[in-house]
Amino acid sequence: MLRGRLELPLGGQRISITGGPFDAMPDGARGLCLEARAARLAEAEWQLDVPDFGLPDEAALRAVLTRMLEAMRAAPDGAYHIGCKAGLGRTGTAMACLAIMAGVVQGDPVAWLRAAYNPEAIETPEQEDFVRRFARAALAR
């Protein structure tokens, strides 16, 4: 079950990223799996194990999202997916950080992601804080 879709304008193109459980990744999509126990883990192009309701390592997340953004810029017509178990907490956190790195977030990154992707995304106060710190760090760069 897909939870939503995020549209990112990159390099004059609109790139679409679906989100939800990793096991619901659309066929043919290039995916970032945030769930170590996903049945389709072997199909992930990118992987980052993040505990359920937990936070990613910031440097590791930045590195994997950098590779994902490079792939999106090189193949903007491709299908992309970010997923964890339910597609809300860890997925929403990663999607918000991806949008921050792409420079498309307006205002509060948590509110922006919830409006752009899914109102239930980014489930815990710790995930909210992580995304806001990530945004502040990106502005400082």
Side-chain angles (χ1 to χ4, degrees):
M1 164 185 184
L2 295 178
R3 294 287 187 186
R5 178 178 310 272
L6 185 63
E7 300 285 331
L8 294 181
L10 288 175
Q13 304 244 13
R14 291 198 70 76
I15 298 173
S16 180
I17 305 127
T18 56
F22 189 77
D23 292 335
M25 179 174 67
D27 290 336
R30 300 169 74 181
L32 166 58
C33 184
L34 303 164
E35 171 59 50
R37 294 176 301 279
R40 294 177 65 187
L41 181 63
E43 296 175 47
E45 184 162 341
W46 307 281
Q47 297 175 23
L48 184 61
D49 186 21
V50 181
D52 201 10
F53 297 103
L55 301 174
D57 174 82
E58 185 174 344
L61 179 64
R62 186 175 306 284
V64 75
L65 293 179
T66 296
R67 291 192 303 274
M68 195 171 191
L69 278 169
E70 289 168 355
M72 291 174 173
R73 287 184 176 110
D77 293 334
Y80 299 93
H81 183 80
I82 297 177
C84 57
K85 185 174 181 178
L88 293 170
R90 295 169 285 175
T91 297
T93 299
M95 286 185 133
C97 293
L98 179 70
I100 290 164
M101 289 175 66
V104 300
V105 174
Q106 301 291 317
D108 176 52
V110 174
W112 183 90
L113 189 275
R114 287 176 176 159
Y117 168 64
N118 186 301
E120 298 176 49
I122 310 175
E123 296 177 300
T124 70
E126 294 80 14
Q127 290 169 343
E128 291 176 359
D129 291 344
F130 179 91
V131 168
R132 290 180 178 121
R133 280 193 316 271
F134 194 95
R136 284 191 301 273
L139 284 174
R141 289 178 184 244

